[in-house]
Amino acid sequence: MASASARCSFDSTALLHSDSRSKSFKADFLGLPHHVKRDSLKCIICPSSMSTYPPKGFCRQVTALPDVGDFFWEKAPTPILDMVDSPIHLKNLSVEELKLLANEIRSEISFIMSRRRIPFKASLAVVELTVAIHHVFHAPMDKILWDIGEQTYAHKILTGRRSLMHTVKRKDGLSGFTSRAESEYDAFGAGHGCNSVSAGLGMAVSRDINGKKNCIVTVISNWTTMAGQVYEAMSNAGYLNSNMVVILNDSRHSLHPKPDEGPKMTINALSSTLSKLQSSKSFRKFREAAKGVTKRIGKGMHELAAKVDEYARVTSLDSTGPVLIHVITEDEKESEDIYTSKRTLEEQGTLKSNLSTTYPKCIGSSFSRTYNDCLVEALVAEAEKDKEIVVVHAGMGTDPSLQHFQSMFPERFFDVGMAEQHAVTFAAGLACGGLKPFCVIPSTFLQRAFDQVIQDVDLQKVPVRFAITSAGLVGSDGPTQCGAFDVTFMACLPNMIVMAPSNGDELVDMVVTAARIEDRPVCFRYPRGAVVGICRPLYRATPLEIGKGEVLVAGKDVAILGYGSMIPNCLKAQFLLAGIDVHVTVANARFCKPLDLELIRRLCKEHKFLITVEEGTIGGFGSHVSQFMALDGLLDGRTKWRPIILPDEHIEHASPKEQLEIAGLTGHHIAATALSLLGRHRDALLLMR
């Protein structure tokens, strides 16, 4: 894969430009040194599709502002953006107009997202890049693929969704990610990252087989290049040699910055090597650097590097194969009007600051104590007593709580980025070396490492301790980040201990418990957000007996056996039912594997009805309970069992409360199920009104 390098930052006002005849990039748009030959750029990126441009100067006024009262009363004017309703309106804009448009888009994103308390700096970093892509290429005929949703807000604004941007991540609103169901401009769904090159290559091969000529453009982040799928896809792209453009958006963030390299450095070897292309003194040196890069990512890519000379002599992408472009971006700067907006909102008491409202406060704050806070406090306490405890983190971004552990034990904290497969096997290696690794991975990203969990951990009974974060529904992040499946795929493993806390105190107990398990792997899941109840002091944490639950409330009519985060909702149902003279037993299972068999037998013996409740899919906790009940003959007698689980569908983004309503997991839903089992259908309906 050939490689080009370009710098795109807020300060450089780097923009891409083309016209309908030359269809080529201009060096001043990319902010390239003037000694770089323009001809060498023409061969790298230029549209081969033949979409028709509008007449010169054509733009129509569009109704692009949301109808939400005075929502935009204090927003800076956006005269150029107000005239843009689709990418075709960018075609006849001058370079200066494109620069102004980029500034207006940045202002728009900052103004809207700061009020929504949604992280948006990643989108600010790629505004110029987004404008450039849509100016040169011809979406939706040309396919543009992104691999991180947070970088696509400018893309959404330019593709007809500006008037709905205030609904991002709200129920029935725009997704926080690209979505094929949402717009024809979203060629493929972006969420977990690292998929754009694979999907783009598939589209390129499909295009070739069907005899079409449209362009395929994929944008990858240096965060997602940590994932192995990117290299698998690029290696295959080099072999298949289909025309496509891969743009590496390098924000130069590092997981482990080194003091002697300054505050900013590239995140991995690929980005680091590509960044050196900036200092190339001649086209010959550029060619050699490109060869050096491609050697780092596979032989198939290296063979393509020899085509760089050929690229300099052609003027279109026809028959050139895959092309890699390196773009360096910065995400530090916010538009000027955002500061005025923040001050106004602070005076109104609606926003303290984008940072403080987006992320949890410091550990120890009683007002924003999260499950991650409890986890990290417990890990720190255990690590202070046991020098063999280490933490491996994988996933997209690091929770601020984990930074506390990192600051306390920098040599015992390993953040590997979006390399979950590596994280699991790396943790297994640490365990085999005599350490006690806690592998902290969000549920949705652990899915990517399931093979390693089986082969490298469970099969060999390696004592890796999995802390599965963001389990269950995740509110505004919707189905893309939903952690619905971990109980199902972890509890089916023969050697895995599977547990879930009902509150912050139990989470601390489970950390202590996991630290003492040395003969097999163990996992515990917990939800995103604030903890339930007041946490007791850490010194009172005690190891749990493996496979033992507890009865929280004793009753006689119906038994409710809850798992993990659903315990508070079970207790809510018990409270509602007590008000209408229905007395239920509420039990906390704690463990899905091994189950508390005696507790299940007792509940079945003392009650005619048993309800299991979990924030997971079919095949999870309830399925394990029913399997045991069937084999033990407990379903042969009078006991009737009903499971309450997540529905067999993906639940779209909404608030956590709305998602629980949609899923049927609220206290009212649980109480209504109990009433229906008792034959009190009218009361069940009245309860749900």
Side-chain angles (χ1 to χ4, degrees):
M1 181 176 286
S3 174
S5 183
R7 181 176 298 277
C8 181
S9 68
F10 298 150
D11 296 329
S12 68
T13 62
L15 293 170
L16 297 173
H17 184 63
S18 70
D19 56 47
S20 58
R21 293 186 179 180
S22 67
K23 300 180 183 176
S24 64
F25 290 110
K26 292 188 175 180
D28 51 355
F29 187 95
L30 284 165
L32 289 174
H34 290 289
H35 62 262
V36 177
K37 296 181 180 180
R38 291 173 182 251
D39 289 342
S40 68
L41 292 173
K42 291 180 182 179
C43 71
I44 295 173
I45 306 183
C46 48
S48 60
S49 55
M50 299 299 293
S51 295
T52 304
Y53 290 158
K56 182 72 175 177
F58 171 79
C59 280
R60 63 183 179 86
Q61 180 68 41
V62 297
T63 306
L65 301 182
D67 183 16
V68 285
D70 60 350
F71 184 83
F72 277 86
W73 71 273
E74 60 186 34
K75 185 177 71 67
T78 53
I80 298 179
L81 180 58
D82 292 346
M83 303 296 289
V84 175
D85 191 36
S86 71
I88 198 171
H89 296 145
L90 275 64
K91 302 304 180 184
N92 289 325
L93 296 181
S94 67
V95 172
E96 289 303 316
E97 288 172 327
L98 290 172
K99 293 178 181 178
L100 292 174
L101 175 63
N103 289 333
E104 292 179 9
I105 293 174
R106 186 175 296 106
S107 172
E108 185 89 356
I109 294 173
S110 299
F111 184 85
I112 297 175
M113 296 307 167
S114 64
R115 284 155 173 73
R116 292 292 317 283
R117 306 179 183 183
I118 296 175
F120 58 88
K121 283 190 175 182
S123 272
L124 296 183
V126 296
V127 168
E128 284 87 358
L129 176 60
T130 306
V131 170
I133 290 172
H134 281 295
H135 177 69
V136 173
F137 295 97
H138 304 280
M141 183 169 64
D142 290 342
K143 305 303 180 184
I144 301 172
L145 292 80
W146 304 80
D147 65 354
I148 294 182
E150 191 183 330
Q151 294 181 352
T152 63
Y153 296 154
H155 165 77
K156 288 176 181 281
I157 288 174
L158 290 174
T159 53
R161 287 168 277 184
R162 182 190 180 194
S163 63
L164 296 175
M165 287 302 293
H166 65 288
T167 71
V168 167
K169 295 191 174 184
R170 285 178 174 167
K171 183 182 179 183
D172 300 325
L174 294 180
S175 170
F177 310 92
T178 54
S179 170
R180 297 176 66 231
E182 183 177 290
S183 172
E184 63 178 339
Y185 291 95
D186 293 353
F188 203 76
H192 283 189
C194 82
N195 64 355
S196 62
V197 181
S198 296
L201 179 59
M203 293 179 186
V205 172
S206 176
R207 172 204 60 202
D208 296 344
I209 292 176
N210 291 321
K212 297 181 180 180
K213 297 294 183 180
N214 60 301
C215 291
I216 308 296
V217 182
T218 69
V219 183
I220 62 175
S221 163
N222 59 330
W223 289 105
T224 59
T225 55
M226 300 300 294
Q229 183 180 350
V230 171
Y231 300 96
E232 295 171 7
M234 293 175 74
S235 178
N236 194 216
Y239 173 76
L240 294 175
N241 206 36
S242 290
N243 293 357
M244 65 182 298
V245 176
V246 178
I247 301 175
L248 172 61
N249 168 35
D250 183 3
S251 61
R252 304 187 67 194
H253 281 291
S254 174
L255 295 174
H256 304 288
K258 299 177 181 179
D260 58 340
E261 297 192 31
K264 279 293 192 71
M265 59 175 286
T266 45
I267 197 170
N268 56 33
L270 173 62
S271 297
S272 179
T273 305
L274 285 171
S275 66
K276 295 177 183 178
L277 297 179
Q278 299 293 335
S279 60
S280 298
K281 300 298 183 181
S282 66
F283 181 74
R284 184 173 183 276
K285 289 184 178 180
F286 161 75
R287 177 189 60 198
E288 295 301 321
K291 289 181 179 180
V293 171
T294 54
K295 286 180 180 178
R296 302 284 281 273
I297 56 178
K299 182 179 178 181
M301 296 297 174
H302 176 52
E303 293 172 354
L304 290 174
K307 291 189 176 182
V308 173
D309 288 325
E310 177 185 348
Y311 293 159
R313 296 190 294 269
V314 297
T315 59
S316 72
L317 282 177
D318 292 339
S319 302
T320 61
V323 176
L324 173 66
I325 299 171
H326 184 212
V327 178
I328 297 177
T329 60
E330 299 177 6
D331 60 1
E332 306 299 334
K333 185 177 178 182
E334 297 181 33
S335 61
E336 294 180 0
D337 71 305
I338 190 60
Y339 299 106
T340 302
S341 302
K342 285 181 180 179
R343 286 196 298 269
T344 302
L345 287 172
E346 287 169 3
E347 293 172 359
Q348 297 173 351
T350 57
L351 178 67
K352 294 182 179 178
S353 73
N354 184 58
L355 181 62
S356 64
T357 54
T358 301
Y359 298 103
K361 296 180 181 178
C362 296
I363 291 181
S365 170
S366 60
F367 298 102
S368 60
R369 188 175 176 81
T370 68
Y371 278 95
N372 276 333
D373 291 338
C374 293
L375 171 75
V376 173
E377 288 182 358
L379 288 174
V380 168
E382 290 299 303
E384 287 175 339
K385 296 181 294 184
D386 188 345
K387 65 180 182 179
E388 294 180 346
I389 288 180
V390 295
V391 171
V392 179
H393 174 264
M396 189 179 294
T398 304
D399 189 276
S401 299
L402 284 170
Q403 295 172 5
H404 177 58
F405 186 95
Q406 183 179 20
S407 65
M408 294 283 291
F409 308 100
E411 74 287 354
R412 293 156 67 183
F413 180 81
F414 306 92
D415 190 348
V416 301
M418 294 184 65
E420 295 84 6
Q421 294 170 306
H422 163 65
V424 171
T425 306
F426 174 58
L430 291 172
C432 291
L435 298 178
K436 298 179 180 179
F438 280 79
C439 193
V440 184
I441 305 180
S443 173
T444 187
F445 293 111
L446 184 59
Q447 296 165 185
R448 197 148 50 197
F450 187 49
D451 180 69
Q452 284 69 30
V453 173
I454 297 174
Q455 297 294 323
D456 301 336
V457 177
D458 192 77
L459 182 62
Q460 303 182 57
K461 298 186 70 173
V462 178
V464 174
R465 300 144 186 90
F466 293 96
I468 305 174
T469 72
S470 297
L473 300 172
V474 291
S476 61
D477 281 334
T480 304
Q481 305 288 350
C482 180
F485 309 105
D486 57 272
V487 178
T488 299
F489 65 70
M490 295 298 274
C492 69
L493 302 178
N495 296 316
M496 187 72 65
I497 295 174
V498 182
M499 50 187 177
S502 62
N503 54 41
D505 291 337
E506 278 195 339
L507 175 57
V508 173
D509 289 342
M510 289 182 180
V511 171
V512 175
T513 303
R516 286 155 175 75
I517 297 175
E518 300 187 29
D519 61 342
R520 66 187 61 204
V522 58
C523 70
F524 51 92
R525 67 174 340 228
Y526 59 89
R528 180 185 294 184
V531 296
V532 178
I534 301 175
C535 293
R536 63 175 182 260
L538 285 174
Y539 65 81
R540 294 181 56 188
T542 55
L544 300 173
E545 183 179 354
I546 302 300
K548 289 298 179 182
E550 63 174 345
V551 174
L552 302 175
V553 180
K556 59 182 178 62
D557 297 316
V558 178
I560 302 175
L561 180 59
Y563 183 64
S565 61
M566 285 295 98
I567 294 299
N569 290 8
C570 294
L571 293 173
K572 173 67 173 179
Q574 182 270 332
F575 174 79
L576 293 170
L577 292 169
I580 54 176
D581 200 31
V582 175
H583 304 285
V584 301
T585 294
V586 176
N588 175 13
R590 286 181 176 160
F591 292 85
C592 177
K593 190 170 189 177
L595 289 169
D596 188 338
L597 306 184
E598 292 304 317
L599 175 61
I600 296 173
R601 290 190 179 108
R602 173 185 166 187
L603 294 176
C604 292
K605 179 180 179 181
E606 297 177 357
H607 304 81
K608 292 182 179 180
F609 309 104
L610 174 64
I611 301 172
T612 56
V613 187
E614 63 182 304
E615 194 175 355
T617 60
I618 187 171
F621 171 70
S623 296
H624 283 259
V625 172
S626 65
Q627 171 78 0
F628 166 71
M629 292 175 65
L631 295 177
D632 204 50
L634 297 175
L635 293 177
D636 299 340
R638 64 170 190 166
T639 304
K640 294 182 179 179
W641 166 72
R642 294 291 184 274
I644 298 180
I645 62 173
L646 289 173
D648 191 21
E649 62 185 52
H650 296 292
I651 298 179
E652 294 299 326
H653 53 277
S655 70
K657 181 179 179 181
E658 290 169 334
Q659 284 194 323
L660 288 173
E661 288 279 353
I662 295 170
L665 290 175
T666 67
H668 284 75
H669 286 93
I670 298 169
T673 300
L675 290 171
S676 296
L677 282 172
L678 293 170
R680 299 174 59 170
H681 303 291
R682 179 179 176 82
D683 289 338
L685 291 173
L686 290 174
L687 189 65
M688 295 303 300
R689 290 180 61 181

